[in-house]
Amino acid sequence: MPPTVLWIRAAEERLAAALRQTTQQVGTPQQAQADISARLAAAFPRAIHVVVLDYYVGFKHRPGEHILQAEVKRPGDTSSLVVKIAGPERLLREKKAWDHAKMVQGGNPVFMPLHACPEGAADDALVAIAYLHAEKAIGADTTTWLEAAVRDCVCYHSVNLQSIISVLHDIYSQTGRLYSTGRLEPAGQTCIWTTPTRRVDGERHALAPTFDLWNTTGKRTRQQVNASFTVGSTSFIDPVDAFRHWDQMLKLPNAPADLLPMVMRGLSHGDLHGRNSIVGIDKDRQASFPTLFDYESIHPDNLIGWDFVEMEVELKSRIYEKIIPHTNRSAWIRKVQEFEAELNFRTRHCHNNRSWPGGQADATTPEARLMAVLLAIRQEASTVLMSRPRTPAAEWLREYLFLLGCYGLMAVRYENQTELQLAAAFVTAGMAASRLNDMRGSTPEPAADVDAILAESYITCQIPLRAAREWNRKKAEDKAERLLTGLVARYPATLHVHYEQAFNLVKQKRGEEALKKLEKLHTEFDGALDEDTWSLWGRCHKDHGDAELVAGMKQWDSPDARIRFEEGDRHYHDSLTKYQAALMAAGGFFSSINIATLTFLRAALCKHLNRDSESQQLRKSAIRVAAELLETKTHWKQLQPDDPVWVWATEAEALSLTGKWADAGASYRAAVARPQCLTFHPESMGRQLARILAGYRLLDEAVSLDAFGDLGLMNPHVTLE
């Protein structure tokens, strides 16, 4: 008689929930449950009954594959098992991986023994595989995923930090028996290779196919991350661009020998993360007795460092989501980048000083506890990756960063992540790429002409973009336009390149084309624009408002002047909303001063249009924003090379709005005296000053220009006839 298979309600509900998460569901949950029950009966033919106690949801649900906890009662024996049901090929692969590793002979306490089901079945007759349930093997008060234990430790300090670090040490000490087979090899020959494939023995996955997925599946995430950093930033570089560049370089006959680090290949777990390990938690909230399972990826050609980078990325990408507030996506991404920068700095410091923290009892914040856990993983990695002679010794770190980049890029293939988790993996990869580039010390200058630049491959778009930015600002807009056309095609996911193309249109007085480009960008990037792009959009509307203001001033006594001023106010209102969006996108003093000035201009126009109440409210708001800006000057962040000029110009403009003309003149004088000041800087200051003076005229308030002396700021863009 076949055994009776029973399900408790919680297991039924978890099965139904798991099936809802997959887009490839076949049949109903009831049909799936019936199929699983039939296979359990076939897996344990000598059992009296099988009770399904739980259904486990891993990182990815595969149709036809199920992992569950079952109690199997046989005559004279009852076992609590974790049972994996899958296709014969997957089951056989995991059984052979277990056999290949020969871990049982080592008496390894971390690896949970695997059993074929039914017992003694031939390879082609496997129905399931089973592990002893960890709770029975560990014997602790409670058991949980390693991921859950780390999360509770980091987020709530409800599991002892030092015990988590000890668990990680135990895991890697035992898996170290596998790593002893490791050998150093190039990271690739004609392309970058990652993990071994399961199709053909000896074949490895190429990284290159992953690049295109970041223009489809991961496009939104890639765009949002790239848009979160300032133009010219090299602390984060797009990892798709960087790794594609290295991949292409490998194909060249004269590729540098040190282009990529050597990597250790050999026997390893191959899929080591926080949900493939269970730990015990005792009454004192100490984690201990880790156990590993899921051996399908064990292979003698694995990247050994993968066991460390996968554990790191899978843990931190989920914990970032919990400990970093994410009301603003760009701010969240920058916080992750700042943490990654600190993590890389501390890793270098620990390596250089040959001193790792080994646990921090004084880690009182979630960020500090996460840092301690990640440094513990990296310490274990350094021990393993330095077990082969390296010259210089820091080559292990190059390998680790390289694998971090590869793993972060490959994360786009996994369907089980939230957008924030995928963004964290992409930031990790981009920070690793940036650090790898720094360690090689190779950041060339762009070539001198358009064709030569477009013929080159660059590790980051910021290199050729420097040439386009320079040409745009030195009245070489035609050259810049030709270059940007090529760069937009090459770097479609990078907002900075699109921004510069729109800026080029503005420089050529093609404002309507620029507006259409910006509107298209807003749609294409799903609203994830940065301060510069929102501000350029605001400038386009401001230019329209200026044109109406100029026309109205010229027709001062004409009935048409009112129409012009009404239109000007409408455009200034549209411009103001864009600058406000720029400020929300982590904008700084540039956005704030434009908000203040546009609000002032609207106040002046409303006054002239007899909308006195609205004018008074706007005037108060403009003065308040200008005053707050002046109070916070010491906190203004200078991110661009010419920001020392704009800091003084912004102060001068804010002083002008509050009527402090002598002080404004002194600040304008300081701005034009900066060594970074170029021809276009005074021109831009003059246009903004002319707008303000026009506003004072509309308010019928006299202004003395004596404070501006011979600064040459007055520009005919806005006439005061």
Side-chain angles (χ1 to χ4, degrees), residues 230-231 469 499 530-537 582 590 640:
T230 58
V231 65
R469 284 175 55 80
Y499 162 84
D530 63 357
E531 180 188 12
D532 286 345
T533 308
W534 282 115
S535 297
L536 184 62
W537 203 348
F590 179 77
Q640 298 303 325

Side-chain angles (χ1 to χ4, degrees), residues 465-695:
L465 187 58
R466 283 204 295 267
R469 284 175 55 80
E470 182 178 352
W471 292 338
N472 262 342
R473 288 154 184 78
K474 290 188 176 179
K475 301 187 183 302
E477 291 90 351
D478 289 346
K479 285 176 65 177
E481 182 179 12
R482 288 195 296 119
L483 175 57
L484 287 163
T485 299
L487 295 184
V488 163
R490 182 180 295 183
Y491 304 106
T494 303
L495 182 64
H496 300 148
V497 177
H498 291 279
Y499 162 84
E500 201 63 31
Q501 188 179 50
F503 180 72
N504 177 267
L505 294 171
V506 171
K507 292 286 289 183
Q508 296 186 66
K509 311 289 188 201
R510 294 155 62 182
E512 290 299 328
E513 292 179 63
L515 274 174
K516 290 179 181 178
K517 168 76 177 177
L518 291 164
E519 289 165 0
K520 182 179 178 181
L521 275 182
H522 185 258
T523 301
E524 177 72 14
F525 281 73
D526 197 23
L529 305 183
D530 63 357
E531 180 188 12
D532 286 345
T533 308
W534 282 115
S535 297
L536 184 62
W537 203 348
R539 173 181 169 175
C540 290
H541 285 293
K542 184 166 63 176
D543 287 347
H544 282 299
D546 289 348
E548 298 295 343
L549 179 62
V550 169
M553 301 284 287
K554 288 181 177 179
Q555 301 168 354
W556 187 270
D557 296 322
S558 165
D560 291 339
R562 182 178 182 86
I563 298 174
R564 295 292 192 179
F565 290 149
E566 290 278 10
E567 281 297 295
D569 181 53
R570 182 176 66 83
H571 285 298
Y572 283 147
H573 173 270
D574 290 344
S575 178
L576 183 59
T577 62
K578 299 300 184 289
Y579 280 110
Q580 287 169 336
L583 186 63
M584 290 297 293
F589 61 87
F590 179 77
S591 304
S592 296
I593 192 58
N594 275 283
I595 289 170
T597 299
L598 285 163
T599 304
F600 170 79
L601 289 173
R602 290 203 62 222
L605 286 168
C606 287
K607 173 73 173 177
H608 195 74
L609 294 168
N610 300 319
R611 288 151 48 189
D612 291 345
S613 177
E614 186 177 1
S615 174
Q616 291 173 7
Q617 291 179 358
L618 289 168
R619 184 77 181 275
K620 288 180 182 178
S621 178
I623 293 173
R624 176 180 54 79
V625 173
E628 290 175 352
L629 195 56
L630 289 169
E631 290 174 0
T632 60
K633 182 185 176 184
T634 56
H635 300 292
W636 296 354
K637 292 183 178 179
Q638 298 186 33
L639 302 174
Q640 298 303 325
D642 59 351
D643 276 350
V645 178
W646 293 124
V647 163
W648 286 105
T650 297
E651 181 182 67
E653 192 172 330
L655 290 166
S656 299
L657 294 174
T658 56
K660 298 176 181 177
W661 297 105
D663 293 338
S667 295
Y668 274 127
R669 194 172 299 280
V672 298
R674 297 297 96 189
Q676 300 89 347
C677 187
L678 303 175
T679 304
F680 75 90
H681 287 106
E683 292 176 355
S684 180
M685 294 178 217
R687 282 194 296 271
Q688 199 77 329
L689 179 59
R691 293 182 185 100
I692 294 171
L693 295 176

Side-chain angles (χ1 to χ4, degrees), residues 423-436:
F426 193 73
V427 172
T428 292
M431 295 296 291
S434 173
R435 183 68 192 126
L436 280 169

Side-chain angles (χ1 to χ4, degrees), residues 161 323 339 346 360 362-373:
L161 172 61
I323 66 174
F339 186 94
R346 292 199 188 186
Q360 298 177 3
D362 59 344
T364 57
T365 66
E367 291 80 5
R369 290 190 288 273
L370 178 59
M371 182 68 70
V373 170

